[in-house]
Amino acid sequence: MIASSQVLAIHSYHPDFFWTQSLVEGIESGIKGHEITVEHTYLDSKRVQSDGYFENLKSLYQARLADHDYDAILTTDNAAMWLVGELADEIGDTPVIFSGLNTATSKIDYAVPRLTGVNEAIDIWDNIGLIKQANPDAERVWIVLDDSFSSRQYWTAIESQLASDTQGGVEIKRFHGLLFDELVEQIAQLDAGDVVLFVSYFKDASGTFMEHSDLLTAIQSKANVPIYGASSFMLLTA
């Protein structure tokens, strides 16, 4: 039987990335029993982020969309949604459903007429409020966020929140542009009054990729200050 609906899923990362695996499992579980076929494709943008690579991805998907008529397109995280925005002419009126965007809702402006989804931007002041409850003496919160494609959009959303609100009574600083070893050592040198909020640091200044579980284990082994995570899966490394 030919499925009545053909869906293209564009995943920003590689297929063995834990977060992507969980999304694929959720999608496949959700369509079970329905006449829907999902074609899963992967951009591998955690590990490869050069301008030339993204341009080649655009050409690849232009060719794919020219030969296929999909009933809907799913995107997971920022890179996939960026690609869809670049291919708006090819996509036309095809419905697009996004997930995992780390962009302020007001900044979600793509030239795709039929667009919906769930935003994933964290509330930085709510997080800092919880940190202050647990650590009343905190004076500085160090946000750990790399310079990858999605993280740059993530930081823009965080900066927007910081600019619009001055509550919290703490100084906000950021760790980025460092090698993994440098990040671990700089956190190890933090002292009383410092707190770390780990948001995302998959790619270091050399372009090397590391899973969060490995990096957080290294950080926790040397840190003398509290480490907080922006996502619940980070608790698994404790």
Side-chain angles (χ1 to χ4, degrees):
M1 177 185 295
I2 298 176
S4 60
S5 297
Q6 301 286 327
V7 177
L8 175 65
I10 307 175
H11 300 283
S12 292
Y13 309 132
H14 42 291
D16 54 339
F17 184 48
F18 74 96
W19 188 74
T20 303
Q21 288 178 337
S22 67
L23 288 170
V24 171
E25 291 170 2
I27 292 168
E28 291 300 321
S29 174
I31 65 172
K32 190 173 295 184
H34 299 277
E35 293 184 356
I36 300 172
T37 296
V38 178
E39 298 176 15
H40 295 279
T41 62
Y42 306 89
L43 304 186
D44 204 12
S45 69
K46 278 289 182 202
R47 300 185 291 199
V48 188
Q49 300 191 1
S50 68
D51 291 342
Y53 178 70
F54 282 115
E55 286 300 315
N56 285 329
L57 283 175
K58 286 170 57 177
S59 298
L60 175 65
Y61 278 81
Q62 282 173 335
R64 188 184 192 103
L65 292 170
D67 294 335
H68 293 77
D69 290 322
Y70 294 101
D71 296 288
I73 296 174
L74 307 179
T75 69
T76 65
D77 219 273
N78 298 61
M81 191 59 235
W82 166 85
L83 179 63
V84 164
E86 292 291 303
L87 300 175
D89 289 341
E90 288 80 6
I91 290 169
D93 290 331
T94 303
V96 175
I97 304 95
F98 65 80
S99 67
L101 282 188
N102 309 127
T103 308
T105 305
S106 61
K107 302 286 186 181
I108 299 174
D109 182 20
Y110 297 96
V112 180
R114 302 179 67 186
L115 176 67
T116 190
V118 178
N119 195 28
E120 198 185 78
I122 66 170
D123 189 314
I124 194 67
W125 288 117
D126 278 356
N127 277 271
I128 290 172
L130 291 172
I131 289 172
K132 285 288 287 183
Q133 287 182 31
N135 300 92
D137 297 329
E139 300 174 1
R140 292 166 298 279
V141 174
W142 294 82
I143 296 175
V144 178
L145 184 63
D146 64 23
D147 295 300
S148 64
F149 182 90
S150 59
S151 292
R152 291 196 299 272
Q153 296 186 343
Y154 217 147
W155 181 243
T156 297
I158 290 174
E159 282 188 312
S160 177
Q161 293 183 49
L162 294 176
S164 64
D165 199 334
T166 57
Q167 64 179 320
V170 295
E171 184 180 5
I172 309 298
K173 293 179 172 289
R174 179 187 176 193
F175 281 127
H176 70 116
L178 300 169
L179 300 174
F180 289 124
D181 288 344
E182 292 173 338
L183 176 64
V184 171
E185 290 305 317
Q186 290 202 24
I187 292 176
Q189 294 172 20
L190 298 180
D191 208 340
D194 292 307
V195 175
V196 172
L197 175 58
F198 192 102
V199 178
S200 182
Y201 212 97
F202 284 104
K203 188 177 285 288
D204 72 3
S206 71
T208 302
F209 173 86
M210 183 186 292
E211 294 283 0
H212 276 172
S213 57
D214 296 331
L215 179 56
L216 281 167
T217 297
I219 289 172
Q220 290 170 343
S221 70
K222 293 192 173 185
N224 299 306
V225 300
I227 310 292
Y228 292 90
S231 302
S232 59
F233 69 81
M234 297 174 187
L235 296 173
L236 301 176
T237 66

